[in-house]
Amino acid sequence: MADKVHKTLRLMPETAERVRGLMADGESETAAYVRVIEAGLACLEAGGNETRPPEEAESGGGAPDQGGTMRALTQTIEALTAQLEIKDEQIRALTRITEESQTITKQAQTLHAVSESKTKELTETTGEAKEGRGFLYRLFH
């Protein structure tokens, strides 16, 4: 069995109360503190040694790694929000381009239809003149 080291700690009353609230039935206060410290160490070692900012430590709120997790989540949300705004602007720009393209296409189709009808009218008019009249009539009239 490993040798144990004796340490004296000064805790805030809220912290001591929280540890007492975590005590299992039949568990000594010392065993509860050891269990809480070991769990806290395991959590800190797994989470990259993130600790709470001083204002959170004084208030006693949250677990030790919540400050780092909350900062990471906040940064992720901000990054995703920025990306979403960029995508929304891209969609608006593409919608404007598509609408302009549709307008141009409709105008081109209308112009083509008018051109085709004029060509057809000229062909029909010219065709009738050739069939009904002679060369000299068409030349002088």
Side-chain angles (χ1 to χ4, degrees), residues 5-110:
V5 178
H6 176 81
K7 295 289 180 181
T8 303
L9 302 172
R10 294 183 184 266
L11 303 171
M12 299 296 291
E14 298 86 16
T15 304
E17 190 60 38
R18 289 174 66 200
V19 172
R20 276 192 288 280
L22 294 171
M23 286 176 55
D25 290 337
E27 185 177 34
S28 70
E29 194 171 354
T30 301
Y33 275 99
V34 169
R35 187 169 50 84
V36 168
I37 290 170
E38 288 176 352
L41 287 171
C43 185
L44 287 172
E45 289 168 349
N49 292 330
E50 293 278 19
T51 58
R52 291 181 287 172
E55 59 275 3
E56 282 186 27
E58 290 175 4
S59 69
D65 69 331
Q66 280 185 341
T69 303
M70 291 301 292
R71 281 190 296 278
L73 289 174
T74 302
Q75 290 172 348
T76 302
I77 289 170
E78 289 171 354
L80 292 174
T81 302
Q83 288 177 2
L84 186 59
E85 289 173 2
I86 291 169
K87 298 294 180 199
D88 286 346
E89 183 55 39
Q90 290 173 339
I91 290 170
R92 282 191 287 275
L94 287 172
T95 302
R96 281 193 300 272
I97 290 170
T98 302
E99 289 170 352
E100 291 170 2
S101 149
Q102 288 174 349
T103 302
I104 291 171
T105 302
K106 286 179 184 176
Q107 290 173 346
Q109 289 172 343
T110 303

Side-chain angles (χ1 to χ4, degrees), residues 107-129:
Q107 290 173 346
Q109 289 172 343
T110 303
L111 181 61
H112 180 69
V114 168
S115 171
E116 287 294 318
S117 69
K118 291 287 181 184
T119 304
K120 186 176 179 182
E121 286 177 21
L122 288 174
T123 304
E124 288 174 355
T125 306
T126 307
E128 288 176 9

Side-chain angles (χ1 to χ4, degrees), residues 120-141:
K120 186 176 179 182
E121 286 177 21
L122 288 174
T123 304
E124 288 174 355
T125 306
T126 307
E128 288 176 9
K130 286 183 181 178
E131 292 174 10
R133 310 284 180 178
F135 172 74
L136 291 177
Y137 182 83
R138 283 183 289 174
L139 184 63
F140 293 110
H141 291 285

